[in-house]
Amino acid sequence: MDRVSSFDEPLKKLLGGATAKVMAEHLDLHTVGDLLHHYPRRYEERGRLTALADLPLDEHVTVVAQVADARILMFNNGRGKRLEVTLTDGSGRLQLVFFGHGVHKPHKELLPGRQAMFAGKVSVFNRKMQLAHPTYQLLDASDADEATEAVDAFAGRLLPIYPACKQLDSWRIAKAVDAVLPSAQDAVDPLPAALREGRGFTPLPEALLKVHRPQTKADIEDAKARLKWDEAFVLQVALARRRYADTQLPAAARRPVADGLLDAFDAKLPFTLTEGQQKVSKEIFDDLATEHPMHRLLQGEVGSGKTMVALRAMLTVVDAGGQAAMLAPTEVLAQQHHRSITEMMGELAEGGMLGGSDHGTKVVLLTGSMGTAARRQALLDLVTGEAGIVIGTHALIEDKVQFHDLGLVVVDEQHRFGVEQRDALRSKGKQPPHLLVMTATPIPRTVAMTVFGDLETSVLDQLPAGRSPIASHVVPAKDKPHFLARAWERVREEVGNGHQAYVVCPRIGDDAEEAEGKKGKAKKKTAEEDPEKRPPLAVLEIADELRKGALAGLTVEVLHGRMHPDEKDDVMRRFAAGDVDVLVATTVIEVGVNVPNATAMVIMDADRFGVSQLHQLRGRVGRGSAPGLCLLVSEAHEASPARARLSAVAATLDGFELSRIDLEQRREGDVLGQAQSGVRSSLRMLTVIDDEEVIAAAREEAVAIVAADPELEHLPELRTVLAALLDKEREEYLDKG
């Protein structure tokens, strides 16, 4: 046990309270093990300068560069002074500024020709990149003791540059790492010896030393290869064990019945299923026919017909005597699904009612805002088995809800539900029901293997016939205001041709306090000074402006999450019926809203949305026979990463391609659901997008090991490391995906 304990040692014992506090609060590092796994982001070679030309805006950076010139400038009639220092590295120049009393020391030390490491946040002033009041460490001064020490420490070496924060620069983190490095000897090695030797990996203690204090570039490669494997392997073992545990659960097999509901439904379909829909349906039917619960992820492009596939699975279960429940993330979506499923089924959805089909079953809706009488009836239909299909929100999970025989749970847009909610619904079956999880966010294969690694995956990548192309364009509102005026003209033209339009905004804007707070902040810094600082555009304000201005005379309505559910439903109904020309909404329309007559969408402040969210939103238009149009309005600067993101969305309709771009831009932290779980991803070295082979190979090894030894009885070290990864929070992180 002692071998683990030095890794669990709190940092404050070794580093002192103040440093440990900053590390805990700003970098989420609490123990010696955390700090040893806080790897350098990159390495600088002594004497080789960072490319100043590639500095990212608004990030904390560390650069090694040479002073080109330094001068003191007076302002405010001589009352104020600032020191401006220009750095150079052959690739570009960077300005440093120091104000007030802070100018004396740097003025004496930062002389032309001097070389130093500088750390600070990159900003732009007068169109020039600058660091204001950076911290720095001289690398070539001979007079200061500290500088001599720095030269000794860094001469001829690869300098590790650590992910840092404003309160703690990279070189202070490097000093802290020096203090804990001896503990690397106590690292518990999770890799079984045969696997480690078979793949020729460096032992773990050595890999940790090499990654933090490499002597050569080969050391870095060695260490990275080993540490990536550990991360991929431990994660895949955790997922393989979960899959194994699931296969041990019993479930009732639900096999298709000849001449039942499904056959009656298929017979009245006005179109044939795509090849993809048939293939995926077969995978699902095969799973449903086994006596272990299905755990399948169905991912498909917006509009690829996932609901149709899910509905056929639900009908199969009803044919086999069970009930199916579909869980939707919002009331708007639950109502929409209920409407479209009852429409698709026609009289088959009226089982037991006058005029209903002999084959039919009842399809009920259950949401939190239903009236008492309707709710009581729905609950009764579920417990008696009268209702074969129920569609609802979280209201389905409440204790009061009882099923006659729950056989299948379909979860729509899985990333909005935690595992607790999934399990609460699953526990309502006599035996664990089968589970089908659907998502319209395309997920690259490696992410699916990592995030949804406990589910088998099916992909629908064909669009059904009859879907129209969508043209997408970026509208640079700031540089070319006439483009925005033209955008509103296009909306008028679409409405003139008998179609409808969406306008999407990032904020609601009905919260007086929120508006005041933002206004107050905005006043301090005018929008001219910093357009990024203005609050995002709001639904209520934009709707008001459009009614009075660009879209005067059209019926403009709003839809957002704080409206009363009846009011929301009423607006959606009228929009679907064609009585509303333009719907100004928040992202409540992102998933599942289906109005084929809506052909245009204008997304305001589009740069404030993520790539996959923009793709989801865009999928709401072009759902009928007329082509769709999506206009991405942005004030972001042409050269900014935000604009690059929008251009990528405008350039392709391929969701899988976009999810790759998204992943490359955001890296893993967000994609692996950091936002949902509030827990730092366990991946530090592994990049899900680049390390596909590592992940696939680690998955194979993990599956073999778990099949041979499910409890890992012969691998105590692996068990120890897993226990550390899968503490309570990490379990949740994995589950929430």
Side-chain angles (χ1 to χ4, degrees), residues 27 83 153 176 195 305 359 483 601 661:
L27 298 169
L83 171 65
L195 192 161
H359 279 309
F483 275 39
M601 175 176 284
I661 292 168

Side-chain angles (χ1 to χ4, degrees), residues 1-14 30-36 180 182-189 717 720-721 724:
M1 226 17 244
D2 294 342
R3 294 183 60 207
V4 194
S5 57
S6 72
F7 259 49
D8 292 337
E9 193 87 46
L11 284 171
K12 57 173 175 273
K13 279 196 175 173
L14 286 162
H30 307 273
T31 63
V32 167
D34 287 345
L35 182 52
L36 284 173
V180 301
S183 301
Q185 294 309 320
D186 303 334
V188 175
D189 198 326
E717 290 83 3
T720 302
V721 173

Side-chain angles (χ1 to χ4, degrees), residues 70 104 111 173 188 221 236 516 555 593 639:
H104 305 306
L111 305 171
I173 295 172
V188 175
E221 292 315 307
Q236 291 303 334
E516 277 312 301
T555 319
V593 171

Side-chain angles (χ1 to χ4, degrees), residues 31-49:
T31 63
V32 167
D34 287 345
L35 182 52
L36 284 173
H37 288 303
H38 186 71
Y39 307 128
R41 177 177 279 158
R42 56 192 171 83
Y43 302 85
E44 280 302 341
E45 288 175 67
R46 172 93 174 89
R48 187 178 72 83
L49 306 179

